[in-house]
Amino acid sequence: MRQSPPSLPLYRSRHGWLLGVCQGLADWRNMPVTWVRLAMIIAIALTGFWLGIAVYVILGLIMKPAPMAPIESDEELEFYSTISSSRQQALRRLQRTFEELDRRTRRLEHSVTSSEFEWEQRLNSGK
């Protein structure tokens, strides 16, 4: 019988002992971290000490660190993925967002501070 894939993405835990790889794998598979650590020790012993350590370190470098706060939407997941893969791309995305907000705010300020806005307010209020 085949299991469905886990719903959480695979992240390196921020609360692990050494690089957080075992804790991240345990969280991803929703199982006790003790079993993952035991399996990792057995795998290191069977594959050769330095090879197992090298694989562990490579996993620690490849896996993205877990987010500081829980991800609540697909948009937040996409943003976190962008930040963790390319900070420059994330900064450009934030810059575009703020430029759009600035443009909208300027347009709103222009319409509110125009002389036509005052006339419309007087006309609609009946004065």
Side-chain angles (χ1 to χ4, degrees), residues 29-71:
R29 282 298 192 189
N30 196 21
M31 61 189 301
V33 71
T34 306
W35 290 110
V36 176
R37 287 183 178 135
L38 185 62
M40 188 65 71
I41 290 170
I42 291 171
I44 288 173
L46 293 178
T47 61
F49 183 76
W50 294 113
L51 177 64
I53 295 297
V55 169
Y56 185 86
V57 169
I58 289 171
L59 281 174
L61 295 174
I62 291 175
M63 291 170 63
K64 296 176 185 176
M68 296 294 280
I71 294 176

Side-chain angles (χ1 to χ4, degrees), residues 104-118 120:
R104 291 170 61 187
T105 303
R106 287 177 191 263
R107 192 174 65 207
L108 179 66
E109 286 174 347
H110 176 72
S111 67
V112 169
T113 58
S114 71
S115 59
E116 294 148 7
F117 181 78
E118 186 179 330
E120 279 185 38

Side-chain angles (χ1 to χ4, degrees), residues 64-65 77-90:
K64 296 176 185 176
L77 179 61
E78 177 189 346
F79 181 70
Y80 181 72
S81 297
T82 304
I83 285 177
S84 58
S85 62
S86 170
R87 292 178 191 249
Q88 293 296 339
Q89 185 179 359

Side-chain angles (χ1 to χ4, degrees), residues 1 3 7-8 14 18 43-44 52 54 57 69 72 78 88 94 98 106 110 121 124 126:
M1 190 166 152
Q3 269 187 330
S7 60
L8 294 173
R14 295 183 182 271
L18 181 65
I44 288 173
V57 169
E72 297 178 358
E78 177 189 346
Q88 293 296 339
L94 280 174
F98 284 121
R106 287 177 191 263
H110 176 72
Q121 290 288 72
N124 289 336

